[in-house]
Amino acid sequence: AKKSEQNNKVHYYLREMQSEAEDRMLLEKRLREAIPNNELVLYYQPQVDLRSGTLTGFEALIRWNSPVYGLLPPGRFIPIAEETDIIKAIGYWVLYTACKQIRDWHELGYEWLSVAINMSAAEFCNGETVVYIEDAIKKYNIPAFCLEVELTESLSLNDPEASIETMHKLKKLGVRLAIDDFGVGYSNLGYLKLFPADCLKIDQVFTRGLCHNPEDRAIVNTVIQLAHSLSMVALAEGAETESEARQLCALGADRVQGYWIARPVPPEDVIPMLQKARMFDPKLLMPTSERL
Ligand code: C2E
Ligand code: MG
Ligand code: MG
Ligand code: MG
């Protein structure tokens, strides 16, 4: 009885593994068709100046609106795209879609508006990135400084010299650069000092602990100082509450992004935000002593 039970178990696992592999192959096949089928969408999350409460721009975050799987977040398909050549096509789609969107919003009169796109290490280091970015900017005739490229620090690990060279070429075009998820990669400060980045994005795990964890507070404080010493804007990701925003303001963060302001929204929901003078009342964030 024991033997057959074991056999059953082995069969069960084999079947599980097989169906997982099949699921994944199907997902990959459908993902390949997602661009021609128009199933990818960019959502936009506002980035806000902490002192004035005004919008500074948006981060574009990809979603896959699949008829089979529903609306999928990037975590469910970007890693698979990165393991295949699909990431290349997705990367170009994101770039051209974001630049067209910038053009459209500029034409509506919001000429100050900038958009940040995320780029995987695989895309960034492929050598054609600069050419495509330059082409997209020219095609839609937008000022280069209205496009920001977000890179994770782990990027520099693969081929730091090549990454830094690409960064310099992008800076020459006028494109802005941000270091994403700062503090959770292998922070090589030796490379950070060589990055010609404009913005340091503090990862949301630190923002999460701001109000109850003195260590997180100390880290956020230090990273903000570090950003400023390197002449970068300090942007905190993932602020969900007013008390987190208040802490960030007290520590001297420049910008904030998170559910406290807004979740990522589809492009049609951006227009009402653009029409607001402010995303919050900055007086509410001042220390009590200064409020009167
Ligand atoms: P990321 O660039 O660090 O983006 C921030 C993530 O945090 C987004 O998740 C956003 O929806 C989420 N977020 C923002 N505010 C809050 C908050 O207050 N609380 C919490 N809990 N989460 C918040 P999302 O959209 O699922 O994206 C996940 C990651 O996928 C991104 O992290 C980025 O690394 C990657 N990604 C997104 N879009 C693209 C893309 O177009 N291309 C590539 N290569 N990667 C992308
Ligand atoms: Mg990002
Ligand atoms: Mg991030
Ligand atoms: Mg992230």
Side-chain angles (χ1 to χ4, degrees), residues 59 78 82 117-125 149-160 163-164 167 177-188 191-192 195 197 199-201 203 237:
E59 178 177 16
I78 288 290
E82 282 172 346
I117 59 173
N118 291 279
M119 216 170 252
S120 305
E123 303 169 56
F124 192 70
C125 298
V149 177
E150 293 192 4
L151 310 158
T152 53
E153 8 154 24
S154 59
L155 186 77
S156 56
L157 281 182
N158 300 345
D159 189 350
S163 303
I164 292 167
M167 288 183 196
L177 298 172
I179 307 293
D180 206 351
D181 304 337
F182 187 76
V184 297
Y186 304 89
S187 317
N188 185 330
Y191 286 128
L192 184 68
F195 290 170
C199 177
L200 199 61
K201 298 190 76 176
D203 193 83
E237 300 190 274

Side-chain angles (χ1 to χ4, degrees), residues 43-50 53-61 63 105 112-116 148 150 201 235-239 255-267 269-276 278-280:
Y43 272 45
Y44 293 89
Q45 189 180 35
Q47 301 178 330
V48 169
D49 182 275
L50 260 174
T54 53
L55 268 170
T56 57
F58 289 85
E59 178 177 16
L61 295 154
R63 304 286 181 263
W105 284 332
W112 48 270
L113 192 140
S114 69
V115 169
E148 186 164 86
E150 293 192 4
K201 298 190 76 176
L235 185 152
E237 300 190 274
R255 290 181 197 163
V256 71
Q257 184 182 344
Y259 296 169
W260 176 62
I261 302 285
R263 290 183 176 252
V265 295
D269 293 354
V270 165
I271 305 293
M273 290 189 209
L274 294 175
Q275 288 162 347
K276 284 194 210 173
R278 281 184 183 141
M279 298 299 285
F280 65 86

Side-chain angles (χ1 to χ4, degrees), residues 209-228:
L210 260 182
C211 296
H212 46 267
N213 187 329
E215 286 82 16
D216 283 330
R217 211 183 130 84
I219 290 171
V220 171
N221 186 28
T222 305
V223 174
I224 292 170
Q225 304 313 316
L226 176 66
H228 290 166

